[in-house]
Amino acid sequence: MNKELLGSLVGKVVKVNRGGPESSTGKVLYGGDDHFALLSEKDGVVYYHSAHVKSISQNIKSGLPVKEELSEEGLEFMKEDTLGALLTSLKYQWVKINRGGPEKIEGILDHSNEDYVTLVLNEEVVRLATYHVKSISYGVKPEKEEKTEEEK
């Protein structure tokens, strides 16, 4: 997926991949050189490494099922040109790498370079090959914060 294709999808609702743990439906917010940002109802803003995306689908007739409330208003997200620059910007943030399945991991991003990403989770230091980062999100989803406030 190149930057021109990703740029043409900004503002459109798409389905990333056809199924599996990395599949998601949402609005494309930004297209970088090797990644793009997708706003989904379930996960908030997720950055997908385009080298690992197998397909992007659009339903041109009726659209894909996404709530109308999925709005970019007041939404802040990072617009870095490359995935490497994005990872550098996320240093010391709580991140979730890969959406699900056995490759999912969460922790504080301590370091990143062309070869590997270092995450810290409790007493464990995990190094993951940068190439194997399929998707990444950071921080706490707004939905969780709202629920926490209501429960207080």
Side-chain angles (χ1 to χ4, degrees):
M1 311 267 163
N2 63 20
K3 189 172 184 169
E4 184 179 322
L5 171 64
L6 296 172
S8 71
L9 294 173
V10 170
K12 296 191 169 74
V13 175
V14 299
K15 181 172 184 177
V16 177
N17 295 329
R18 303 294 296 161
E22 292 295 324
S23 177
S24 185
T25 300
K27 186 187 293 188
V28 178
L29 298 175
Y30 174 76
D33 292 341
D34 58 357
H35 70 287
F36 62 95
L38 184 83
L39 175 61
S40 74
E41 293 177 57
K42 181 181 173 191
D43 299 313
V45 179
V46 179
Y47 299 88
Y48 281 92
H49 187 184
S50 48
H52 292 288
V53 173
K54 294 174 182 74
S55 66
I56 296 180
S57 308
Q58 279 182 277
N59 186 329
I60 56 174
K61 206 168 191 180
S62 61
L64 291 166
V66 173
K67 288 183 182 173
E68 296 299 321
E69 300 130 24
L70 200 58
S71 171
E72 300 171 46
E73 197 173 306
L75 181 68
E76 292 184 26
F77 63 97
M78 295 186 185
K79 294 181 182 180
E80 300 290 351
D81 288 335
T82 65
L83 186 67
L86 176 68
L87 291 170
T88 300
S89 297
L90 292 174
K91 190 172 184 176
Y92 305 129
Q93 296 280 332
W94 182 267
V95 298
K96 181 176 182 180
I97 295 178
N98 301 333
R99 307 301 331 136
E103 297 177 33
K104 176 179 80 170
I105 187 166
E106 293 184 63
I108 295 175
L109 194 142
D110 181 56
H111 176 77
S112 68
N113 63 30
E114 291 178 9
D115 299 320
Y116 65 92
V117 173
T118 304
L119 291 177
V120 178
L121 179 59
N122 298 325
E123 298 88 33
E124 193 174 19
V125 175
V126 179
R127 288 176 185 83
L128 172 72
T130 304
Y131 175 77
H132 292 292
V133 174
K134 297 176 186 175
S135 64
I136 188 165
S137 57
Y138 67 96
V140 180
K141 293 188 299 184
E143 297 170 35
K144 286 184 179 179
E145 289 176 5
E146 289 173 12
K147 287 180 184 176
T148 306
E149 290 172 11
E150 289 174 7
E151 292 173 353
K152 290 182 181 178

